[in-house]
Amino acid sequence: MNPISDLAAYACHPAATKGRRYPETPAPTRTEYQRDRDRIVHSTAFRRLVYKTQVFLNHEGDLFRTRLTHSLEVAQLGRSIARSLRINEDLVEAISLAHDLGHTPFGHAGQDALHGCMAEHGGFEHNLQSLRVVDKLEERYPQYDGLNLTFETREGVLKHCSRLHAQQLENEEAGGVGARFLRREQPSLEAQLCNLADEIAYNAHDIDDGVRSGLITLAQLQDVPLFDHYRAAAQAEYPDLAQPLRQRRLLFEAIRRMLSAQVYDVIDATQAALARHAPPDVQAVRQSPALVMFGDAMRARSLELKQFLFKNLYRHPQVMETTGRAQEVVRDLFAAYTTSPREMKAAFAEQASVDCGPLRARAVADFIAGMTDRFAAREHERLTGRRLFD
């Protein structure tokens, strides 16, 4: 952990937090951001992430990443970089662990389907849903809904937001987490870092999971300079890794080297940006351009990797086939609950019963978004009599 006294002036200092929506007495042994992290870890939504899809559905293999393991990897990368930049590791960890709390079952397939279902009612944004989870949907405290996190953690959770939704947030909370999207300002360095650590993590572990699944191969990855450079270097240093039975070790070593190179690149590029702009405090960070970044060469190579994964993994026929079934589950559930709200759990059914329009649709979306993959599949079978997943 960064000692508070070692934090840079442009870091988020917990003593200078913009606070919580409901004031609370400070904890005697933890900073405000440590307290946020602990609330997130103990939340119901965080536990659900273990059964929510990253790329491969939960039943497809025990070792594929889930939203939970992804979030842990983002937190590890984020803390590693934060320490070198002298920004707040605890805040980075809290944001990293919370950033996917609003993701639907079945990964982006479920999100896209739910967005379509909600098209007439403001759509569905998973970042906005993550904020709803920590602000409203968690039920753990007698005094308020949600987790009552600090402004800085909530700001980091809301990575993207449409202008329409940002204005709605501003109407509810003047000067709150929606304001920066209206002012076209940046979030804190800690939030910027989580955004980039998210990208670094999923690119790396999707290579691992893609090769593990057999949908992509090391031979195909020779066309990806960012990966193949480190694969070739590892194989040159350890020639026996070319043997078929040691290919897994070669893959892991190449990914490890690639991750390290990206971490060092972010540190170097960000330190250079900080030196150029010299923000004296957090508010100056918000009014500067984005400061946490790759260097130009690494950014280009990272984009090539993303394009490779999009074409060869995310759009692989086997992945697309499960994507289609997942979207069918979400659409069928939305239709069933909208027609018969009492099929939902009591709290959601009660909210849906007061309105047959936008409020009902949002209650249904909240209920579906909170499901794990396997609960959604079981509910679908219960309501339709059809089993779409083994």
Side-chain angles (χ1 to χ4, degrees):
M1 182 186 72
N2 277 355
I4 299 302
S5 60
D6 191 46
L7 291 176
Y10 45 69
C12 286
H13 291 246
T17 175
K18 292 187 177 181
R20 305 177 188 276
R21 293 194 301 164
Y22 304 95
E24 297 185 51
T25 302
T29 60
R30 295 172 295 166
T31 70
E32 295 300 324
Y33 304 140
Q34 289 172 332
R35 201 176 189 184
D36 282 358
R37 175 203 59 205
D38 296 346
R39 291 182 178 192
I40 291 159
V41 167
H42 288 283
S43 69
T44 303
F46 185 72
R47 293 196 300 278
R48 288 190 183 118
L49 296 180
V50 72
Y51 291 115
K52 288 197 176 190
T53 291
Q54 184 65 27
V55 174
F56 296 94
L57 301 187
N58 189 257
H59 70 277
E60 293 182 288
D62 293 339
L63 298 181
F64 294 127
R65 267 65 170 198
T66 65
R67 287 286 163 189
L68 180 62
T69 55
H70 165 69
S71 297
L72 293 173
E73 291 182 22
V74 174
Q76 180 272 314
L77 287 167
R79 291 199 72 139
S80 296
I81 297 170
R83 182 167 299 190
S84 293
L85 297 177
R86 296 174 57 218
I87 60 177
N88 199 299
E89 289 183 53
D90 295 322
L91 177 57
V92 168
E93 184 175 28
I95 296 170
S96 298
L97 295 178
H99 82 283
D100 270 353
L101 292 181
H103 247 297
T104 62
F106 311 122
H108 287 283
Q111 174 187 308
D112 292 344
L114 195 52
H115 180 63
C117 292
M118 291 292 293
E120 296 181 1
H121 306 289
F124 180 87
E125 297 177 7
H126 82 265
N127 293 120
L128 187 63
Q129 189 68 17
S130 294
L131 185 68
R132 282 179 63 79
V133 168
V134 301
D135 278 359
K136 299 178 181 179
L137 299 180
E138 278 289 316
E139 299 178 322
R140 304 192 68 82
Y141 301 98
Q143 315 97 302
Y144 46 73
D145 292 332
L147 302 179
N148 198 29
L149 303 180
T150 62
F151 171 90
E152 292 78 15
T153 299
R154 296 171 59 236
E155 174 190 50
V157 166
L158 194 60
K159 177 180 176 180
H160 301 297
C161 186
S162 68
R163 188 169 183 84
L164 172 63
H165 287 146
Q167 187 61 61
Q168 291 171 345
L169 290 172
E170 180 68 9
N171 294 342
E172 296 172 8
E173 181 187 8
V177 294
R180 75 175 182 89
F181 297 98
L182 302 176
R183 298 171 185 161
R184 301 187 183 278
E185 292 181 348
Q186 299 296 328
S188 68
L189 291 173
E190 288 83 357
Q192 293 180 42
L193 173 54
C194 290
N195 294 345
L196 196 50
D198 184 27
E199 177 182 334
I200 294 170
Y202 68 66
N203 279 343
H205 63 52
D206 288 353
I207 291 175
D208 184 9
D209 285 352
V211 173
R212 182 184 296 277
S213 72
L215 300 188
I216 58 177
T217 66
L218 283 174
Q220 285 178 288
L221 285 161
Q222 290 180 11
D223 295 330
V224 183
L226 177 58
F227 175 83
D228 197 57
H229 172 80
Y230 299 104
R231 190 276 313 160
Q235 193 166 316
E237 186 172 350
Y238 302 102
D240 63 321
L241 293 182
Q243 298 174 17
L245 293 180
R246 296 178 68 80
Q247 292 283 284
R248 290 297 298 171
R249 294 175 188 254
L250 176 60
L251 175 66
F252 293 149
E253 180 64 12
I255 291 173
R256 184 186 69 79
R257 293 180 183 216
M258 183 183 76
L259 281 171
S260 294
Q262 290 180 296
V263 165
Y264 299 145
D265 185 87
V266 170
I267 292 170
D268 290 344
T270 301
Q271 287 176 335
L274 288 168
R276 285 195 304 273
H277 292 277
D281 53 30
V282 177
Q283 186 55 36
V285 167
R286 300 183 191 285
Q287 295 170 346
S288 300
L291 298 174
V292 180
M293 63 182 70
F294 283 129
D296 291 342
M298 184 62 78
R299 167 53 61 194
R301 290 195 293 269
S302 178
L303 179 59
E304 290 174 335
L305 172 56
K306 289 165 68 76
Q307 292 170 338
F308 170 87
L309 289 170
F310 184 86
K311 177 182 178 182
N312 294 281
L313 181 60
Y314 310 143
R315 289 295 180 263
H316 189 283
Q318 184 173 319
V319 173
M320 293 301 293
E321 194 272 333
T322 58
T323 291
R325 283 184 284 160
Q327 292 182 331
E328 184 177 352
V329 167
V330 171
R331 287 192 292 265
D332 288 349
L333 288 176
F334 189 88
Y337 295 138
T338 302
T339 302
S340 303
R342 292 298 168 187
E343 295 291 348
M344 297 189 291
K345 290 183 178 180
F348 296 94
E350 181 179 357
Q351 181 183 348
S353 67
V354 303
D355 177 73
C356 61
L359 292 179
R360 174 176 293 187
R362 187 58 61 184
V364 171
D366 286 341
F367 185 50
I368 294 174
M371 292 179 176
T372 63
D373 292 11
R374 60 184 185 177
F375 182 77
R378 286 200 303 265
E379 277 290 276
H380 184 265
E381 184 176 359
R382 179 179 73 85
L383 293 168
T384 68
R386 293 183 293 125
R387 177 179 293 184
L388 297 187
F389 298 107
D390 296 328

